[in-house]
């Protein structure tokens, strides 16, 4: 049975593992950054590989026939390591990325978290920050603003005094996001262009309220990669390789 490594941690990665189960031997890799992750079916590897060199050695030792990078659209470092490791070992590589969100009125585009932080003082003062716990230090210097920062796991201390941490995991509802806007007097949203339906409710709620949204654009994929946007297309590629 062919062996396929899915670099995962996303809903698409879990769905692909389920789709391929029983037809190929699937190993799903999770970075281990989430305390209580949703596990896919099949074999699971938790933790890093030691960069591109470590991943290449792991692919060879595990006799992996193909790799699907179904990591988060902003996991640029993991994607770069996968490209280098697969090139070294001659392993076929596919990128599975859900489509980004369509641009909406009231959006401000930012090319990075740092650019988003520079934009904020001119956009709002009570910020709904949904860019992940590891991004919070980028915004910590904006002491004149107040932040409601949502993440799955708690951020590393110290927590700035102008941050309120909300621990939650999607999917979210428009009604729930409306209540957060009302309860905390939020006047701007900062988010990454993650795409997908699990977290789109915040965009709907802020658009409905006529409030601005700062969206951090995705990092570009390395040139020459084969990429698809659906689980069905990824499964078809695996069977065709």
């Amino acid at each position: 049975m062919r062996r396929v490594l899915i670099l995962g941690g996303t809903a698409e990665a879990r769905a692909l593992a389920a789709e391929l189960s029983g037809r190929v031997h699937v190993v799903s890799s999770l970075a281990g950054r989430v305390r209580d992750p949703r596990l896919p079916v099949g074999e699971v590897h938790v933790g890093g590989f030691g960069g591109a060199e470590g991943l290449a050695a792991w692919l060879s030792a595990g006799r992996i026939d193909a790799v699907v990078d179904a990591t988060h659209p902003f996991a640029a470092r993991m994607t770069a390591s996968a490209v280098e490791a697969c090139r070294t070992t001659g392993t076929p590589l596919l990128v599975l990325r859900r489509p980004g969100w369509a641009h909406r009125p009231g959006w401000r585009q930012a090319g990075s978290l740092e650019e988003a932080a520079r934009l904020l003082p001119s956009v709002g003062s009570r910020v709904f920050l949904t860019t992940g716990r590891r991004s919070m230090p980028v915004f910590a210097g904006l002491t004149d603003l107040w932040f409601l920062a949502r993440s799955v796991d708690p951020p590393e201390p110290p927590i700035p005094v102008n941050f309120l941490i909300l621990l939650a995991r999607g999917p979210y509802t428009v009604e729930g996001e409306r209540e957060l806007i009302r309860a905390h007097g939020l006047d701007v949203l900062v988010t990454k262009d993650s795409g997908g339906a699990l977290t789109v409710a915040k965009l709907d709620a802020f658009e409905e309220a006529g409030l601005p949204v700062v969206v951090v654009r995705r990092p570009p994929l390395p040139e020459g990669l084969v990429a698809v946007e659906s689980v069905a297309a990824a499964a078809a590629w695996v069977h065709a390789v």
Side-chain angles (χ1 to χ4, degrees):
M1 185 176 285
R2 288 175 299 166
R3 295 173 61 83
V4 176
L5 173 65
I6 300 176
L7 302 174
T10 61
E12 291 78 17
R14 292 190 295 273
L16 180 60
E19 175 69 23
L20 297 176
S21 179
R23 294 185 282 174
V24 299
H25 183 93
V26 175
V27 183
S28 295
S29 169
L30 305 179
R33 293 175 182 167
V34 177
R35 184 173 300 171
D36 184 25
R38 293 169 176 161
L39 296 177
V41 298
E43 184 180 343
V44 178
H45 169 86
V46 179
F49 295 96
E53 184 177 346
L55 177 56
W58 196 93
L59 294 177
S60 296
R63 298 182 178 179
I64 298 299
D65 297 298
V67 176
V68 179
D69 174 6
T71 54
H72 191 275
F74 284 80
R77 184 177 300 176
M78 186 67 248
T79 297
S81 291
V83 170
E84 185 176 341
C86 288
R87 184 180 296 125
T88 298
T89 58
T91 308
L93 171 64
L94 176 77
V95 174
L96 169 58
R97 288 286 187 276
R98 70 181 78 120
W101 289 311
H103 185 86
R104 304 186 185 198
W107 280 18
R108 309 284 183 91
Q109 297 279 352
S112 65
L113 291 167
E114 291 75 13
E115 185 180 343
R118 291 193 295 269
L119 279 173
L120 269 180
S122 65
V123 180
S125 60
R126 295 185 66 82
V127 185
F128 190 22
L129 185 64
T130 64
T131 52
R133 64 190 175 99
R134 291 175 178 269
S135 71
M136 293 179 193
V138 176
F139 300 88
L142 299 174
T143 54
D144 291 338
L145 309 183
W146 184 89
F147 292 84
L148 176 65
R150 182 165 67 192
S151 64
V152 176
D153 290 325
E156 295 294 328
I159 307 300
V161 295
N162 57 328
F163 275 61
L164 175 63
I165 307 302
L166 173 62
L167 300 182
R169 189 198 298 264
Y172 306 104
T173 66
V174 175
E175 181 179 356
E177 307 292 56
R178 282 194 204 112
E179 177 57 24
L180 290 179
I181 293 172
R182 186 200 64 76
H184 298 285
L186 302 173
D187 59 13
V188 60
L189 166 67
V190 180
T191 187
K192 295 176 178 178
D193 183 14
S194 301
L198 290 180
T199 61
V200 74
K202 60 192 174 187
L203 301 177
D204 296 333
F206 271 76
E207 182 177 28
E208 178 185 272
L211 296 172
V213 176
V214 177
V215 180
V216 180
R217 292 190 296 270
R218 296 179 175 190
L221 289 174
E223 290 186 8
L225 278 182
V226 179
V228 297
E229 295 184 338
S230 72
V231 170
W237 178 88
V238 168
H239 295 307
V241 166

